[in-house]
Amino acid sequence: MPSKKAPYSLAPTRQSNRRSVNVSMTNNLSVGVDYPCRYVQPDPLEPSVHACIQPDVDEIAALATILSNAQVKMVFSIGCGDGYVEGLIQQHCNITMVGVDLYQPRDDFESYISTTTYLPSVYRVDRSSLLDLDHYRAQHTATKAEVAFMFCFGRRLPWQAYLRAFPWVQHVFIIADRTTDSDSVAQPACDALSQQASWRLGTSIPLKAALPVFACHYTKE
């Protein structure tokens, strides 16, 4: 699941200082790994250099309102990259945003764990355990009905596999460009669920980006 932004990693801490990490942790990816990192509060006036989407304050507030009105308490953002957009949303609402992305081993482990991230929680998995999310959800108070998936300008994300593996998910947010004759840049495209009978498009709003991008909220029928 290639990330839309540069690889990074993170531990459940907002400390900006490095700390030592047992490298053997990287062998325990079936249950995910959180690494320490340089956590930075996202700023819409200073967007991440890796972000494909750069929404303004009003657009982020609109996204937060959609999530809150849907009574979502926890969002798994699949293929989150450095979590810039997700971090902005979390600033505007009382919702737990959890990034999910691939663990990508590096020889220089210190550079990996000191990379900037904009989310206080990211779940690192390897390719053999992409769908292992249930135990992580169990660590939080959100019920299944309060959990949503987000796919934010991903590249070739296994989004269909996630929806098959978690049929109880009632809300999906896709932030991406639309499907065109030459296919969309992002996969899934923002209209990926529009032709599926089991999903209903609730809200679609445009976001600032280098190309036309929309945030679409789908609810399971």
Side-chain angles (χ1 to χ4, degrees), residues 27-65:
N27 296 322
N28 191 28
L29 292 176
S30 63
V31 294
V33 177
D34 283 341
Y35 294 114
C37 68
R38 190 170 68 91
Y39 173 74
V40 175
Q41 289 278 354
D43 184 345
L45 299 180
E46 297 182 8
S48 165
V49 296
H50 306 297
C52 300
I53 304 166
Q54 300 176 355
D56 60 28
V57 174
D58 291 338
E59 292 168 347
I60 289 296
L63 288 174
T65 297

Side-chain angles (χ1 to χ4, degrees), residues 167-208:
W168 45 263
V169 170
Q170 302 295 308
H171 299 278
V172 171
F173 294 82
I174 303 178
I175 302 176
D177 54 336
R178 296 184 190 274
T179 303
T180 65
D181 293 338
S182 58
D183 294 328
S184 61
V185 175
Q187 295 182 27
C190 66
D191 53 355
L193 290 176
S194 60
Q195 301 302 317
Q196 298 197 20
S198 58
W199 292 94
R200 178 178 58 84
L201 175 61
T203 307
S204 177
I205 61 174
L207 300 180
K208 287 183 174 59

